[in-house]
Amino acid sequence: MKPLVIGIAGGTGSGKTTLTRALVASFDEHVSVVYHDNYYKRRDDLNYDERALLNYDAPEAFDNELLIQHLDQLARGVSIECPVYDYADHNRSDETLTIDSQPIVIVEGILLFAEDEICARCDIKLFVDTDADVRILRRIKRDVLERGRSVESVESQYLSTVKPMHELYVEPSKRRADLIVPEGGGNLVALDMLVHRINRQLETAG
Ligand code: C5P
């Protein structure tokens, strides 16, 4: 049986990962999770300072060809060797992660719906919609605590690329979603409805 592919997109700090984790908790081990962030292009051609200045919020920053190939593999029931991205180094690490194909595949990332070929592979497209002020507050906290950044670097990156690219690519891609989920994983009504819908689809397919 072909897995059910759920795409979860939305701006940085919107709550995509919380929603993903809540769905994983609901479906136990029957979910493969693929993070688009792990498919940022390898940039060994640049030094650290040059990599730190790149625009990571435009579709060209990602190796979408590899992600599409991996989604197709999972759809055929074949495991993938997923790249692992190192945010502190702004580059792909040498590690890979084996992800087995499960009946539910969740693919998560800011710019998934900006790419036709990725949209075409998602059976259900969810867009997590959260106000920009809430998102930037979360982003500052996360990038400083977990991604080795200073408050100043988060501020300058936000103003130079994150915000303009959100407005140019992420926000318009919301139109391609099947469902808009305000506040992501904290939205228990939406989560409950999604779990029922996914269960029904799995039962029908099974
Ligand atoms: O988890 P989240 O959806 O926020 O991850 C996407 C964000 O990661 C992008 O907005 C991008 O600016 C950021 N990023 C970064 N440094 C990198 C790669 C991505 O700050 N080297």
Side-chain angles (χ1 to χ4, degrees), residues 8-181:
I8 302 183
T12 181
S14 56
K16 300 183 293 297
T17 306
T18 312
L19 179 60
T20 299
R21 289 190 183 137
L23 288 171
V24 169
S26 303
F27 293 99
D28 214 14
E29 74 272 24
H30 306 297
V31 189
S32 320
V33 181
V34 180
Y35 293 100
H36 200 189
D37 282 12
N38 278 325
Y39 292 79
Y40 274 113
K41 286 177 182 159
R42 182 182 277 288
R43 296 308 303 262
D44 294 335
D45 52 320
L46 303 176
N47 65 34
Y48 175 86
D49 292 333
E50 291 166 331
R51 289 198 300 271
L53 291 174
L54 291 177
N55 177 355
Y56 291 104
D57 291 78
E60 308 79 64
F62 294 89
D63 183 352
N64 281 330
E65 219 174 287
L66 183 63
L67 174 67
I68 289 163
Q69 187 189 315
H70 281 177
L71 290 178
D72 287 345
Q73 262 176 251
L74 290 172
R76 293 197 308 273
V78 177
S79 302
I80 61 167
E81 282 302 315
C82 175
V84 175
Y85 193 72
D86 180 351
Y87 296 96
D89 192 36
H90 297 286
N91 209 356
R92 195 177 281 182
S93 72
D94 292 329
E95 284 171 64
T96 58
L97 188 67
T98 306
I99 300 180
D100 295 326
S101 175
Q102 299 291 347
I104 303 168
V105 172
I106 296 180
V107 52
E108 187 214 294
I110 51 171
L111 282 163
L112 290 177
F113 303 160
E115 171 69 53
D116 291 349
E117 292 285 314
I118 298 174
C119 282
R121 283 159 175 82
C122 295
D123 300 301
I124 299 177
K125 295 189 286 302
L126 307 175
F127 187 96
V128 179
D129 201 15
T130 302
D131 291 343
D133 52 357
V134 175
R135 294 191 294 99
I136 182 60
L137 285 171
R138 288 180 182 158
R139 168 110 179 201
I140 295 166
K141 206 164 154 189
R142 181 200 65 195
D143 281 7
V144 171
L145 294 178
E146 297 169 23
R147 294 189 180 175
R149 308 290 168 84
S150 64
V151 173
E152 292 70 27
S153 80
V154 179
E155 182 190 8
S156 74
Q157 185 190 10
Y158 188 78
L159 295 176
S160 63
T161 51
V162 180
K163 179 178 156 65
M165 296 300 109
H166 180 88
E167 288 163 5
L168 186 64
Y169 295 113
V170 183
E171 190 62 28
S173 79
K174 183 161 77 175
R175 294 210 173 132
R176 312 186 79 176
D178 300 305
L179 207 64
I180 293 167
V181 183

Side-chain angles (χ1 to χ4, degrees), residues 1-4 74-77 101-104 201-206:
M1 184 182 94
K2 184 192 164 298
L4 178 72
L74 290 172
R76 293 197 308 273
S101 175
Q102 299 291 347
I104 303 168
Q201 186 139 344
L202 288 175
E203 280 164 19
T204 316

